[in-house]
Amino acid sequence: MPQLNGGGGDELGANDELISFKDEGEQEEKISENVSAERDLDDVKSSLVNESENNSSSSDSEQTERRPQPRADLESYEKAREYFTEALRRQQDGGFFKSPHYPGYPFLMIPDLGNPYLSNGALSPSARTYLQMKWPLLDVPGTAALKDSRSPTPGHLSNKVPVVQHAHMHPLTPLITYSSEHFSPGTPPAHLSPEILDPKTGIPRTPHPSELSPYYPLSPGAMGQIPHPLGWLVPQQGQPMYPITAGGFRHPYPALAMNASMSSLVSSRFSPHIVPHHPHGLHQTGIPHPAIVSPAIKQEPNGELSPAANTKSPVPTKKEEDKKPHIKKPLNAFMLYMKEMRAKVVAECTLKESAAINQILGRRWHSLSREEQAKYYELARKERQLHSQLYPGWSARDNYGRRKKRKRDNKTDSTPEDFSAGNKKPCVQYLPQEKMIDSPASSHGSMLDSPATPSAALASPAAPAPTHSEQAQPLSLTTKPDRHHHFPLLSKPSSSSCTSSSSSSSSQPTSSSGSQSTPPLLSRPLPLASLHASLFSPPSPFHQAAFHSHHALFQSQPLSLVTKSAD
DNA sequence: ATGCCTTTGAAGGGG
DNA sequence: CCCCTTCAAAGGCAT
């Protein structure tokens, strides 16, 4: 709420970001993975750094590599996102966004194409909605947006996926990126206009990029018709997902006439209307929320939806309920970051496994400057807000059970004793020296919390010398400690485990008891990189203070390898 | 074919 | 109020 208005924040001053970010980044990268990996990281790192300075350079190349081949629609889509992401960074660095309080936001908010929340692709339309909705929430400064508006290249449209289009739209987009899933290429629009169908998928594309533009990716089904910006509202099936209050949606967009770039901007504008107008309640009433997807529908990419799709039947009735449309959780700051950076890391590194990549990303996350993190935190906040507005009745619990329960037992396993030291995230284990290098320092940065006032956080000058921590820091191999535990397990005090250190106390002797001599216990051998990657877990963003202390901890910290105690 | 692994953060339930 | 659990993304790998 408030945020919406104020934009929350405001304050995120992004200006400073670069500076700190760079320094930290360098270090972190070094640490990164194995030798080879390290290099990669370096590159990555450097690329990041450079990005600010050089806009293009590495990133471009990377992008190029990836994008070239669109494997699947989805993939291509994502890649595009990534691509944008990089661009985003560049821009940010460039100061592109400086003006706006939320530098990235406006752009970021740009919808991915898919519905972020819907797990099933089918709903894609909803996704769009969601995205649009976002815009409104964000108070995006129209002007700013416009600046960039240069429509990148509509060419992407070629893919059936509207998503792609979005990507082009703004580099920032990536941040928000939602899963490509949504895309439901499959959802064929019942009535799509003949405008453009993808030969393969048959998905309709809008002829005018401008219209379609990112904002309205026509999803196959969704639009059905048209170019109407609101088109997304329409459910794949033909019926409008929501009964949207007509008022809002109906407004015709001026955008239609606009260029793609413009349209995007425009869309943002109107979207706001929608939101407000929309009573959240609508969906709740039982109406299928756009965002909601019924599992059944999970369409595969393409066309499968036939029956369902075609059936415009609005009647969700039982099925839906049974299936419960699965509304995904909004992505948190780190997730947003992962989406954005994953491609990059993958490109740089040889690693392909997500687990390993994620470890690296986790490290990098810590290394991010506050500003950088703040951006993501804010984005995440906004998304949460948006999500709440869109799905007022939705609860994270609703999704429980979808996945198999993870081994919750794990925790039991862990012997209490172990905990003391490192359990949790054992954060620190030894990694090869190299890794260590990185500075947790970033820790500082990492902390930003999403609190409403990021600025405050930012304010802190940070700059604690990262070095010490780095040196001393032991690496933690986090193989798989208990997953559950994360911080919580550790008692707060100790929790610090790794990083954290808890906070306050600067020193935590923690007994290091735990030393870890043991190697991680991965049941499976993880790639070296993964090991290296391991870092400590980050302290909660909220505790900035913790940062500072945290280095001390590191030193003392024993390595705890927490293997998976599971059992 | 399905789930695991891994990361951080958020949310909610239970004690 | 604190702790714990689950899910969000992603993709190779294991089962």
Side-chain angles (χ1 to χ4, degrees):
Chain A
M1 339 187 140
Q3 292 173 343
L4 293 179
N5 296 346
D10 29 22
E11 327 114 344
L12 296 180
N15 298 343
D16 301 347
E17 301 174 356
L18 296 180
I19 298 169
S20 6
F21 174 70
K22 290 177 181 180
D23 294 349
E24 290 175 353
E26 292 176 354
Q27 294 173 343
E28 56 176 56
E29 290 182 356
K30 292 176 182 177
I31 298 165
S32 32
E33 312 155 349
N34 299 347
V35 176
S36 60
E38 286 178 353
R39 291 189 202 158
D40 292 350
L41 290 180
D42 278 353
D43 292 351
V44 172
K45 175 177 47 161
S46 40
S47 65
L48 291 178
V49 171
N50 290 345
E51 289 175 355
S52 53
E53 295 176 341
N54 299 337
N55 292 347
S56 36
S57 29
S58 63
S59 39
D60 289 351
S61 61
E62 290 175 356
Q63 294 172 348
T64 307
E65 292 175 355
R66 294 176 194 158
R67 298 189 52 196
Q69 305 175 325
R71 299 183 218 150
D73 296 348
L74 295 178
E75 290 178 357
S76 62
Y77 166 69
E78 290 177 356
K79 300 211 167 216
R81 272 195 288 152
E82 292 174 358
Y83 170 82
F84 290 109
T85 303
E86 289 177 355
L88 188 157
R89 281 177 178 272
R90 290 187 247 160
Q91 289 180 346
Q92 289 175 344
D93 289 351
F96 204 130
F97 299 95
K98 289 176 180 179
S99 329
H101 295 292
Y102 299 99
Y105 266 90
F107 297 103
L108 295 180
M109 297 316 280
I110 296 170
D112 259 353
L113 327 167
N115 169 357
Y117 300 110
L118 298 187
S119 56
N120 298 343
L123 299 185
S124 53
S126 60
R128 294 185 195 109
T129 308
Y130 171 73
L131 293 179
Q132 290 180 345
M133 302 294 278
K134 288 178 180 181
W135 281 79
L137 293 181
L138 300 184
D139 293 347
V140 175
T143 41
L146 293 179
K147 290 179 180 178
D148 224 3
S149 46
R150 53 176 170 188
S151 50
T153 38
H156 294 314
L157 295 181
S158 61
N159 289 351
K160 53 184 160 218
V161 178
V163 171
V164 172
Q165 294 174 347
H166 289 296
H168 292 316
M169 303 220 29
H170 263 294
L172 297 183
T173 313
L175 293 181
I176 300 171
T177 65
Y178 293 106
S179 58
S180 48
E181 300 170 353
H182 19 349
F183 257 166
S184 36
T187 35
H191 9 326
L192 292 183
S193 326
E195 288 147 337
I196 299 173
L197 293 183
D198 210 357
K200 289 175 160 198
T201 59
I203 295 169
R205 291 182 302 175
T206 57
H208 300 285
S210 56
E211 294 172 354
L212 298 181
S213 46
Y215 301 112
Y216 308 107
L218 310 176
S219 50
M223 303 219 49
Q225 339 194 357
I226 6 231
H228 191 290
L230 296 184
W232 46 276
L233 294 179
V234 177
Q236 3 184 344
Q237 282 101 3
Q239 258 189 344
M241 307 267 304
Y242 303 121
I244 305 169
T245 50
F249 293 117
R250 291 194 163 206
H251 293 287
Y253 289 133
L256 294 179
M258 300 177 159
N259 296 344
S261 61
M262 296 296 293
S263 64
S264 65
L265 294 179
V266 171
S267 63
S268 65
R269 288 183 185 173
F270 73 77
S271 55
H273 297 320
I274 297 168
V275 173
H277 289 292
H278 249 336
H280 318 2
L282 293 180
H283 343 353
Q284 287 179 339
T285 57
I287 295 169
H289 197 288
I292 300 167
V293 174
S294 38
I297 297 174
K298 262 181 187 196
Q299 71 201 30
E300 302 231 0
N302 303 286
E304 304 236 9
L305 22 122
S306 44
N310 290 346
T311 29
K312 323 175 158 202
S313 60
V315 185
T317 61
K318 309 176 182 178
K319 290 181 179 181
E320 289 181 356
E321 292 176 355
D322 292 351
K323 299 175 172 203
K324 283 178 173 194
H326 175 217
I327 295 170
K328 293 182 179 180
K329 293 174 67 171
L331 300 183
N332 63 32
F334 179 72
M335 287 296 179
L336 290 171
Y337 172 76
M338 284 181 63
K339 289 191 93 147
E340 181 180 352
M341 300 300 297
R342 176 183 291 284
K344 193 180 260 198
V345 172
V346 171
E348 307 271 345
C349 303
T350 58
L351 298 176
K352 292 178 182 178
E353 294 182 4
S354 293
I357 297 294
N358 290 346
Q359 287 185 342
I360 293 169
L361 289 170
R363 266 193 313 122
R364 292 183 73 148
W365 172 252
H366 290 293
S367 65
L368 291 176
S369 64
R370 297 189 206 126
E371 290 85 356
E372 291 279 340
Q373 288 189 342
K375 291 177 186 175
Y376 293 97
Y377 283 112
E378 286 189 2
L379 266 176
R381 266 199 302 164
K382 298 247 178 203
E383 291 204 357
R384 286 196 299 275
Q385 289 179 353
L386 226 171
H387 190 277
S388 65
Q389 289 183 352
L390 290 177
Y391 313 103
W394 180 85
S395 167
R397 289 282 175 193
D398 294 346
N399 293 353
Y400 276 31
R402 280 183 74 85
R403 289 185 179 185
K404 183 200 255 220
K405 307 175 175 178
R406 298 179 175 189
K407 347 177 141 188
R408 7 173 112 184
D409 299 349
N410 293 349
K411 76 179 170 170
T412 52
D413 338 350
S414 53
T415 56
E417 298 169 356
D418 294 351
F419 290 155
S420 52
N423 50 345
K424 201 11 317 340
K425 301 206 102 252
C427 314
V428 187
Q429 285 181 345
Y430 283 114
L431 290 183
Q433 315 157 331
E434 309 159 352
K435 310 174 175 171
M436 310 307 293
I437 304 168
D438 79 355
S439 59
S442 33
S443 56
H444 303 315
S446 57
M447 316 322 225
L448 296 186
D449 49 342
S450 40
T453 52
S455 59
L458 295 180
S460 54
T467 44
H468 48 327
S469 58
E470 295 173 353
Q471 297 171 343
Q473 272 189 351
L475 298 186
S476 59
L477 295 185
T478 42
T479 55
K480 145 188 219 140
D482 283 348
R483 327 168 146 193
H484 303 310
H485 308 194
H486 288 333
F487 302 101
L489 290 185
L490 303 186
S491 32
K492 303 176 176 189
S494 54
S495 56
S496 38
S497 52
C498 337
T499 51
S500 62
S501 56
S502 62
S503 30
S504 44
S505 51
S506 27
S507 54
Q508 220 180 355
T510 5
S511 58
S512 31
S513 55
S515 59
Q516 36 301 3
S517 17
T518 63
L521 327 169
L522 300 184
S523 5
R524 305 185 211 166
L526 289 183
L528 297 181
S530 64
L531 295 178
H532 296 303
S534 64
L535 302 184
F536 39 80
S537 57
S540 59
F542 300 83
H543 314 12
Q544 287 179 337
F547 302 136
H548 302 291
S549 55
H550 101 43
H551 33 62
L553 293 180
F554 284 130
Q555 295 175 343
S556 60
Q557 255 182 355
L559 308 180
S560 54
L561 296 183
V562 177
T563 57
K564 78 191 352 279
S565 42
D567 321 120

